[in-house]
Amino acid sequence: MTPAAASRIAVITGASSGIGAATARQLAAEGYRVVITARRKDRIEALAAEITAAGGQATAYALDVTDRTAVDEFASAFKTIGVLVNNAGGALGADPIATGDPAQWRQMYETNVIGTLNITQALLPALTASGDGTVVVLSSTAGHGTYEGGGGYVAAKHAEHVLAETLRLEIVGTPVRVIEVAPGMVKTDEFALTRFGGDTEKAAKVYAGVTQPLTADDVAETITWAVTRPSHVNIDLLVVRPRAQASNTKIHREV
C-alpha cells in the first residue's frame, strides 16, 4: 500500500545496524522517505547512500535519543511525519540481580525507555498533524516474561511495553496508532556481542544449536507489514519468535 503524501516520512531510531537498518531498507522500498538516526554517523550515512542508490529516499541524522535537547532540535525540522519506529535500545550484561551492575541497568533504562519517551514526545505533534500517524515500539519478548540473568533488560523492556500500552490509551481518538512488535531470539551482528562486552564466545552460545533464529530482515518485514496495514487497522501487539523458541526459556537446540 503506497503511503499517503502527508505520511511518507518515516523516522527510524537505532538504524546503524540490525533491525533498524533492515527496517529502513524495507520502508524505503515501500515508498517512504526514511530518516535514519543513530549515534554512529558513518554507518547511517553509508546506509542512506545505499538506499538512495537503490532508488529510495533516505536522509541520515546523527542522534542520541537519550539527549533530550538534541532530540527536540531534530524534531523541530518536521511539521508532519507519518511513521516513527522506536528501535534504539539494547541489552548489557547477564548477571543475576544480586550482582548486577547498576550502571548497566541505568544505561539500558535510559536507552530503551527514556530514549523512546524522548523521541515519541518530541515527534507526536508531527505524527498527529499528518492525519495518519503510526508509532512503532520495538520491545521484546523480554517485555512480556522474565528469565534468569536478564533482570535489567527485562525491567527496561517491560517499561517500554507499558509505555506503548499506556500511550495507546491516552491518544485514542487522535489519528495516530500505536503498534508494539516484540521479537524473541533474533541473530544480528551486534546484539549479543554488545550484551557480553565483545566476548565472541559468550555471544555465540546464545544461538548455539538453533539452526534458524530470526533475522533482522524477518523482524523488519513484520514491522513493515504492520505499518502498511490500512489506517483503521491497529496491530496492538505482535509477538514474533523463531519456530525453535517456545518461550524466553524454552528453546530447541540441535546438538
Side-chain angles (χ1 to χ4, degrees), residues 53-161:
Q57 299 180 72
T59 303
Y61 191 102
L63 181 67
D64 179 350
V65 293
T66 68
D67 182 341
R68 185 53 188 258
T69 300
V71 167
D72 287 341
E73 182 180 351
F74 167 74
S76 69
F78 301 97
K79 291 184 178 179
T80 67
I81 68 166
V83 179
L84 166 62
V85 179
N86 285 294
N87 171 71
L92 295 172
D95 296 321
I97 299 294
T99 57
D101 183 350
Q104 288 186 335
W105 279 57
R106 188 172 294 110
Q107 186 175 341
M108 285 187 283
Y109 195 88
E110 285 286 338
T111 306
N112 290 280
V113 186
I114 303 302
T116 296
L117 177 66
N118 283 342
I119 195 77
T120 301
Q121 284 183 336
L123 288 176
L124 194 56
L127 287 156
T128 306
S130 75
D132 186 18
T134 300
V135 176
V136 177
V137 174
L138 191 74
S139 62
S140 167
T141 54
H144 300 270
T146 62
Y147 59 91
E148 293 167 296
Y153 183 61
V154 166
K157 285 301 184 181
H158 270 70
E160 199 173 17
H161 160 64

Side-chain angles (χ1 to χ4, degrees), residues 197-253:
D199 188 322
T200 55
E201 185 176 348
K202 284 185 178 180
K205 286 181 179 179
V206 173
Y207 311 105
V210 181
T211 57
Q212 288 185 300
L214 296 177
T215 67
D217 283 334
D218 291 330
V219 181
E221 286 176 10
T222 301
I223 293 168
T224 301
W225 174 82
V227 166
T228 55
R229 294 311 85 206
S231 298
H232 70 288
V233 177
N234 195 99
I235 309 300
D236 283 15
L237 170 63
L238 201 161
V239 175
V240 53
R241 291 187 174 100
R243 185 174 60 187
Q245 184 183 28
S247 74
N248 288 343
T249 56
K250 183 70 172 181
I251 301 169
H252 174 69
R253 300 181 189 270

Side-chain angles (χ1 to χ4, degrees), residues 8 24-34 46-59:
R8 285 182 181 152
R25 293 185 185 101
Q26 293 193 28
L27 286 178
E30 289 292 329
Y32 288 89
R33 179 165 75 84
V34 295
L47 177 59
E50 174 198 324
I51 291 170
T52 301
Q57 299 180 72
T59 303

